[in-house]
Amino acid sequence: MDIFNLDQALIERYESFARSFSEIRAPEIHAQVDAAYNEQRFWPEPLITINPRFGSGHSVDQLFAQEVLDPALSRIFAAGPGRTPIKLHRHQDRAVAKARNGESFSVTTGTGSGKSLCFFLPIVDAVVRARRAGEQQRTRAIIIYPMNALANSQLEELEKFIGGSGLEEGLRPTFSRYTGQESDAERQAIAKAKPDILLTNFMMLELLLTRQDELDRAVIANAAGLDFLVLDELHTYRGRQGADVAMLVRRVKDRLVKEQKLLCIGTSATMSSAHEEIERASAVARVGKLIFGEELSSASIIDENLARATDPRINSTSLGAALPDAVLAPIPESLTDKELHSHPLACWIETEIGLVEGEKLRRRPPMNQLRRSRNSWRLSAAEPHRSHARAERCSSIRCQVQCAIASWPSGIICTYAYVAVASLPSVKVAMFDIQIALSYSKQKGNIATKSAIENP
């Protein structure tokens, strides 16, 4: 798929749709409307961002060795052909520790950071331990999603981990979706099976608590003594809907949790826009306290811990001539992990687009492409050059670089990058997909660009 052609096709289709409602016959008006569309006045400039690398935590088998997790979780939370126990991010480590201490918490790490494991790990661990202790079968966790599509996706994830674990039936956690998509036969099976984990949405949970249907009453009765209540995408519960969900949580606690403490977990990538970490954590804690009715503080909020995927000794200011040399030089047929770890272009992209370096690494906010290009995406060169970079691959990392570098009228070389980076826990450095495009409009010195961001 050519993402630039796709981007152009989408814009052209949108323009065709928007202009299909009227026919302009006056030539002067038609020309003005054409000019407005040609100036791209009706869609914003693209934003550029990078999904950063997260700080490493323990692997699941290491947590088992420390007696933090049940040994069965090494078989459940495993990946790859040999079912190797997964290695956690630092924030997932912290979530497991808080749950083991019986603390409610919220996870506010970014998209693609594995927030689901922050609650699946402690929930599955509690279920397996209860099975070993011979406790009575019941629903121990209710996970509430704002959309059925998310519940369906998470159902597949649980099947991948638990269904593929080969764990004996006596220890294997059970899970079901109950969102209104189920047939009557499926509802009966769920009521009878008393699944350990129930995936639902807040409207269906409301109905489970209020309807007099025998099946629904049986499903909610199975959750008596509930241990975990999870609200995924916590930021979606705002205003009146937020108040409704807060009331729902309190009714769940009153109905199902009589004596023991209910462990409440929230997740969200976009809960607060505050710049300071402490201020941001305090704001999220206030929201969590209102919705869950639990005492949460800034210490209850788990934020992301970022790490450099490239050499931490190299940043954009220390690259010097190495950066233009790397961009203009022919691309080698292959790169080792070590070479890519210190590659000038990789280091520049991570430090200039992905991260803000300080006492603690932070994500750099998404940036406007043209503004950013004018500010610092300029490589000095003695004379105009034109270079095209091709795909580079190595055994554990895919680095695709497509460059079009053209001389600026002033003799400065400008490079415009559209970047998506995925960091894999099992890979030493990040996997890069870099697609760079540059095009000139008919007016001299005026840059016109199109972009799309691809998640590899």
Side-chain angles (χ1 to χ4, degrees):
M1 178 186 296
D2 188 325
I3 62 172
F4 300 105
N5 287 340
L6 174 62
D7 173 68
Q8 181 63 35
L10 287 173
I11 290 176
E12 289 174 354
R13 289 177 62 185
Y14 178 78
E15 178 182 344
S16 176
F17 171 76
R19 303 185 70 171
S20 67
F21 295 98
S22 60
E23 181 180 353
I24 303 174
R25 296 183 179 180
E28 62 278 10
I29 298 177
H30 200 291
Q32 291 184 34
V33 173
D34 284 346
Y37 274 97
N38 291 335
E39 292 170 4
Q40 302 179 359
R41 194 178 299 173
F42 300 105
W43 41 82
E45 289 292 342
L47 294 177
I48 302 173
T49 187
I50 290 180
N51 201 26
R53 185 185 187 186
F54 300 99
S56 297
H58 296 89
S59 64
V60 175
D61 53 351
Q62 287 175 328
L63 292 179
F64 149 61
Q66 297 172 13
E67 299 184 351
V68 175
L69 294 176
D70 187 275
L73 269 69
S74 294
R75 296 174 59 185
I76 295 174
F77 293 100
R83 298 284 299 181
T84 303
I86 62 175
K87 186 176 179 61
L88 305 182
H89 297 316
R90 173 66 181 136
H91 57 266
Q92 294 166 337
D93 247 6
R94 294 172 60 198
V96 170
K98 284 191 177 295
R100 287 286 291 162
N101 290 333
E103 301 177 38
S104 295
F105 60 89
S106 290
V107 183
T108 60
T109 56
T111 302
S113 61
K115 289 186 291 295
S116 297
L117 283 178
C118 290
F119 55 81
F120 278 139
L121 278 161
I123 288 173
V124 171
D125 181 63
V127 169
V128 173
R129 290 176 186 272
R131 293 288 186 90
R132 288 193 190 278
E135 294 184 17
Q136 186 177 1
Q137 178 72 23
R138 61 181 173 87
T139 297
R140 299 178 182 276
I142 294 178
I143 305 174
I144 304 172
Y145 297 95
M147 296 183 294
N148 287 346
L150 290 173
N152 297 340
S153 173
Q154 293 299 291
L155 194 71
E156 295 176 2
E157 284 296 299
L158 283 173
E159 180 58 40
K160 179 183 73 175
F161 282 122
I162 298 176
S165 67
L167 201 64
E168 52 269 30
E169 188 173 347
L171 291 179
R172 188 184 307 164
T174 57
F175 51 92
S176 296
R177 181 197 63 195
Y178 204 91
T179 58
Q181 305 172 75
E182 297 74 31
S183 65
D184 188 63
E186 289 173 322
R187 291 170 60 213
Q188 291 185 32
I190 292 170
K192 183 179 180 181
K194 302 180 180 180
D196 298 301
I197 304 169
L198 192 68
L199 313 181
T200 187
N201 56 61
F202 72 92
M203 286 299 296
M204 180 52 66
L205 185 55
E206 177 81 35
L207 293 173
L208 283 170
L209 289 170
T210 57
R211 286 200 303 207
Q212 299 303 307
D213 181 281
E214 288 189 9
L215 282 177
D216 290 338
R217 293 175 65 184
V219 170
I220 202 66
N222 292 340
L226 189 69
D227 298 321
F228 296 88
L229 181 66
V230 179
L231 279 173
D232 195 33
E233 305 293 347
L234 197 60
H235 63 275
T236 60
Y237 304 113
R238 299 175 178 175
R240 189 181 71 177
Q241 182 171 288
D244 289 343
V245 171
M247 289 296 295
L248 174 63
V249 169
R250 284 154 177 79
R251 295 207 313 279
V252 167
K253 293 164 75 172
D254 181 68
R255 177 86 167 265
L256 301 177
V257 186
K258 297 298 184 181
E259 298 178 359
Q260 81 277 16
K261 181 180 178 181
L262 178 65
L263 202 154
C264 298
I265 302 173
T267 71
S268 175
T270 55
M271 278 293 289
S272 173
S273 58
H275 182 72
E276 294 297 329
E277 183 178 352
I278 296 177
E279 182 183 352
R280 186 167 59 249
S282 297
V284 175
R286 287 195 298 270
V287 174
K289 182 178 179 179
L290 287 172
I291 293 180
F292 289 123
E294 296 287 330
E295 286 298 327
L296 298 178
S297 67
S298 57
S300 307
I301 310 306
I302 298 176
D303 201 356
E304 57 192 20
N305 295 88
L306 303 181
R308 284 284 299 271
T310 57
D311 193 334
R313 297 171 297 179
I314 302 175
N315 56 41
S316 58
T317 60
S318 65
L319 284 169
L323 181 57
D325 289 348
V327 173
L328 299 175
I331 299 299
E333 295 182 359
S334 64
L335 287 171
T336 65
D337 291 359
K338 184 178 180 181
E339 289 170 333
L340 188 56
H341 181 64
S342 58
H343 194 284
L345 181 57
C347 295
W348 176 78
I349 288 171
E350 185 173 41
T351 56
E352 282 296 304
I353 304 174
L355 299 174
V356 176
E357 295 189 278
E359 185 176 347
K360 179 181 178 181
L361 288 176
R362 294 185 292 107
R363 286 177 184 248
R364 192 178 291 274
M367 59 188 65
N368 176 282
Q369 176 260 335
L370 282 182
R371 175 180 62 79
R372 185 59 178 172
S373 66
R374 289 168 184 153
N375 287 344
S376 64
W377 290 12
R378 301 183 176 185
L379 307 178
S380 298
E383 58 184 60
H385 293 275
R386 185 174 296 274
S387 173
H388 296 275
R390 290 189 170 87
E392 309 175 37
R393 296 179 181 273
C394 58
S395 58
S396 62
I397 302 172
R398 178 163 51 102
C399 178
Q400 297 178 347
V401 182
Q402 296 176 353
C403 298
I405 301 177
S407 62
W408 194 265
S410 63
I412 297 177
I413 301 296
C414 293
T415 306
Y416 299 85
Y418 302 90
V419 185
V421 178
S423 300
L424 301 180
S426 60
V427 178
K428 295 180 181 177
V429 294
M431 177 190 298
F432 287 85
D433 260 351
I434 306 168
Q435 298 201 354
I436 302 174
L438 175 67
S439 64
Y440 281 91
S441 66
K442 294 181 180 179
Q443 296 181 357
K444 183 179 179 181
N446 182 28
I447 299 288
T449 59
K450 302 291 184 185
S451 77
I453 295 181
E454 176 188 25
N455 291 318

